[in-house]
Amino acid sequence: MPEPLLLGLDLRASYRLRLGEVKAVDGVDIEIPRDSIVGLAGESGCGKSTLINVLLANIRPPLVLKSGRILLDGLEILGISREEVRKKVWGVKVSIVPQSALNALNPTKRIIELVKDAIRQHTPASDQEIISLCKRRFEELNLPFDSVYKYPHELSGGMRQRVIIAISTLLNPRLLVVDEPTSALDVSTQKQVLKMMVDMKKEGIIDSILFVTHELPVLRQVASHIYIMYAGKIVEYGPADSVFFRPLHPYTKALMYSVMTPEPESRARGLVTIPGEPPSLLMPPQGCRFHPRCPYVMDVCKKSEPRLVPLSDERGVACFLHHGESVN
Amino acid sequence: MLSGISKLIKPELFMIKKFDASLGVLFAVFALGFIGPLLYQVQPTAVAGPLEAPPSRQFPLGTDAYGKDVLAQLIAGVRGSLQIGATAAAISLLIGVIVGLIAGYKGKLVDNLLMMLTDIVLLLPSILLMILIAAYFKWRDPLLVSIIIGVTSWPWVARAVRSQTLSLKNREFVNLSKMAGLSDFQIVIRDILPNIASYIFMAYVLLMSGAMIAETGLSMIGLGTTQGLTLGNILFWAQVLEAVRRGLWWWFIPPGATLVALAASLLMLATALDEYFNPKLRGS
Amino acid sequence: MATISPFIIYILRKIVFIVATFFIFLLIIFALPRAIPGNPVAALLTQIFQQAQANPDTVKAVYRKFLEEFGLTKPLHEQLFDFLSRLMMGDLGTSIAFYPRKVAELVASYLPWTLGLLIPAILVAWALGNLLGAWAAYRRRTKVDNALLPVFLVLSQVPYYWLAMILLYVLAVTARVFPVAGAYPPSMSPSLTPAFVLAMLHHYTLPFLSIVIVAIGGWAIGMRVLVIYELRSDYVEYSELLGLSDKRILGYVFRNSILPQVTGLALSMGTVMGGALITELVFSYPGTGYLLFRALSTLDYPLIQGTFIILVSTLLAANLIVDILYAYIDPRIRVSYVGE
Ligand SMILES: Nc1ncnc2c1ncn2[C@@H]1O[C@H](COP(=O)(O)OP(=O)(O)O)[C@@H](O)[C@H]1O
Ligand code: SF4
Ligand SMILES: [Mg+2]
């Protein structure tokens, strides 16, 4: 098996607050193969954005790292200084399209100024070189080049989103991490943004995409692999089709079921509706974290926690119903 | 509203260091003004001893150019300043809250007109307006001084109350009250006011510190109260009678220091309350 | 379709607003002496009249001039019309205390001292306060911030004139490093010789410092909060993840935080002016504060009114300048908004 682009092992990170510890990432293993689009799905508040920050080695109080290793394109990125991460990792090996893309650009700088500042942190380049790099890239992506001379408030929301994707990837990072890119956009803009990212992968600008969302239908269109997250833990992973058509974990099943229900409105909006409340990460339930909402709950589920067990080379699930089973 | 505030105040408030420190200073200054007269029974207006005597056992803060006891003046002055500060702040608060509530709740034309008025008063510096108004009164009792300070210091309160009202008036509970047929007045009293009680309390604290500083400014230019003592009055006479150039430090340092202690602890109190009521502002 | 740029609209609106404010201020000036019970102006007339025994001719001339300018016998609307039309001509009336000097000319001779003190002090305090506040915010939850914040809080509550008294006592009366009064030595007459300029700066130091030191506190508190908020904004996070250095990002943050402080500058100038007028008294500095005090203690109403009219017009003009500057440096106003 070829070496994956990113391998994260035993990742644990918490927000340290006065009230206690919010264990937002609690023992996550994750693998992003080269040339793949990996989807990460789960309800709002389950720790997706926190996991992204850990994967980017962007850990700052109140978030603290408890354990874990990350190998990104051959480089250990946890345990080196923030300064080094900034130089060697961000923008070059991995880039992000943040959840709050609408406010992610400095409101008082023309976009080209930000681009110049960003590129010069990594390579000494003249204004002319930067401008022509930008121009070439914008043309490749069918974006109007004159938008780089504008201020963020002069661009529409969808255009801001696409411009951010373009400038995040100017230096051809291997991995692009996208945090709920479509939630603030209308349907047609969503499609454009998705297509743009898939095209970038085809053209080799980037190798792989980690695509984070709570909207499953979107994932189904693009992802090759899927991770399902619940209350700070990965509860199931596998190839996209396999997870979509043969969900094993009761939580995944509930997610899929809620997407399949023929209520046009909730489907269009990708609303995931599962009975019960997501658990508090400050005081998660004992045993299996899903047990208060699980229709298949057994005695053992309330006492001990199911490990994430690989069922085959590609699939794994954390549920007592499937321990000892194997799938192909 | 008072019960609303008392419900908001919980023991955690006392865990904020700034809160405890400012409460301590405030308590000390209030004690000086209100318990002081019981313990130190010297007439502030009577000639008590030699002229310009430095602090001594007999005159803890010395005497002024006429031989009046400075500590006795300070005790009376603190009380006078607190009284004017409290009254003026109440007047500003009343105007500011009423203007803000009406503008925010009524919206549209009323809002536009009231905010225009507010911005105009905001643009004209309050201390200059105060001087201008006070100049036309030959006799100024503490109430008049409070009114002059009060009617010129409300605009920022009006602005803040307006924006809070705006954000409250479309909430669910207000809509419910509307459907229940409550009048605008009832809705404002029952639904809006209690929700901005904590802000109003903070505004009062800030207004009070501002008003006491304004009183001192008015006094220094000769337009303070013509009846009774205030910290500003003491400073005025110290200034007119050249206390600084003649080296009588005990005459002008204590009243100024007391004023700064009072105003700074009120500001710190408001900051602490702000942190307490809006935890988002805290550190992180 | 051609549209007017938002920059122009913004400035036009500001101008209209400032002119309206000035007009309302004039109405207040006009109405106050006429509306206050007990008619202060009549009281003043009686007082002047009583002095007539001592110096009959001058006092009678003052009396006549005053009656004419205030025009108290005419109907109200005619009084207002006279008042405004005289103002348009630049005529602020005749002083009583300095009879027969004109108010405009008197104020004009004192104003430069006030502005010379005020403008540099405001700008220096603004710059230093913002730098210190940004520094405290950058080092928040460290010893630096824990030490600076209380100092800022207390400073912001110190009256200028009280600090002035202390500086005067410590540095002039006790240590004798600076002169105790005035804007220049009484033995010299104003000129542009190096000796005079040096002496003037020597007199200037303490009044300048007492305004700067106090004003720093307020600016620093404001800037500290603005920077702390700004540091948490989404663009800071994203810029960092693009690989930008701390230095660059702090540059962005400082620039964006200072924008609201520019607006604050416009609003605070009046308060600083009020404090500075009283500070002039402490130093016997020959500015408008000193003049105003003279006018107030002699109930010289024409001079009081004239001083206020000049001070407020200066302030409003300064406000307009700052507002235009703001519109120019904030691209969200300068560059047209296209939107979604
Ligand atoms: N800065 C923070 N401080 C404290 N708690 C936080 C912070 N950010 C997120 N959390 C908490 O961590 C949990 C996971 O949040 P997040 O990673 O943003 O979830 P998601 O992206 O899946 O919606 C939530 O319970 C959230 O309340
Ligand atoms: S472990 Fe038990 S409670 Fe948890 S998902 Fe599986 S069956 Fe449900
Ligand atoms: Mg998120």
Side-chain angles (χ1 to χ4, degrees), chain B residues 149-204:
Chain B
I149 297 174
V151 297
T152 49
S153 312
W154 53 270
W156 62 268
V157 182
R159 276 217 151 273
V161 168
R162 169 185 176 268
S163 68
Q164 303 216 0
T165 308
L166 275 180
S167 76
L168 282 169
K169 78 170 177 189
N170 291 322
R171 296 272 184 84
E172 201 59 36
F173 56 87
V174 175
N175 288 332
L176 284 177
S177 300
K178 270 186 199 154
M179 277 188 277
L182 264 63
S183 70
D184 286 355
F185 182 74
Q186 284 169 314
I187 293 177
V188 166
I189 298 290
R190 280 207 212 166
D191 294 342
I192 311 263
L193 261 185
N195 278 297
I196 55 175
S198 65
Y199 176 77
I200 291 181
F201 185 62
M202 273 174 345
Y204 184 77

Side-chain angles (χ1 to χ4, degrees), chain A residues 219-287:
Chain A
L219 271 193
R220 204 163 137 196
Q221 292 170 36
V222 293
S224 52
H225 299 71
I226 287 184
Y227 282 76
I228 305 288
M229 193 167 184
Y230 186 79
K233 290 178 175 288
I234 300 296
V235 293
E236 179 161 12
Y237 67 88
D241 286 344
S242 167
V243 174
F244 260 104
F245 295 111
R246 282 200 58 201
L248 296 175
H249 195 282
Y251 176 65
T252 318
K253 284 182 184 162
L255 278 183
M256 299 305 164
Y257 181 72
S258 71
V259 178
M260 306 300 167
T261 45
E263 285 169 49
E265 199 205 339
S266 69
R267 234 166 105 177
R269 290 167 55 198
L271 272 186
V272 170
T273 43
I274 300 174
E277 287 284 307
S280 144
L281 292 177
L282 205 55
M283 274 185 293
Q286 286 264 308

Side-chain angles (χ1 to χ4, degrees), chain A residues 58 60 82 86 90 96 100 103-106 108-109 114 117-118 121-122 151 153-154 157 164 167-168, chain C residues 234-235 237-238 240-246 248 252 255-256 259 331-332 334-340:
Chain A
N58 178 26
R60 248 192 323 198
R82 196 175 176 84
R86 204 194 297 260
W90 295 339
I96 186 167
S100 52
N103 303 316
L105 295 169
N106 183 351
T108 62
K109 283 257 181 205
L114 176 68
D117 282 349
Q121 300 290 326
H122 300 292
Y151 289 98
H153 71 266
E154 297 178 88
I164 284 182
I167 62 182
S168 288
Chain C
D234 295 326
Y235 75 83
E237 177 93 2
Y238 178 61
E240 212 179 350
L241 290 172
L242 278 179
L244 260 68
S245 66
D246 274 344
R248 265 292 136 77
Y252 287 9
R255 196 204 134 106
N256 293 350
L259 287 174
R332 283 162 292 191
R334 186 179 73 242
V335 180
S336 68
Y337 180 80
V338 176
E340 310 290 295

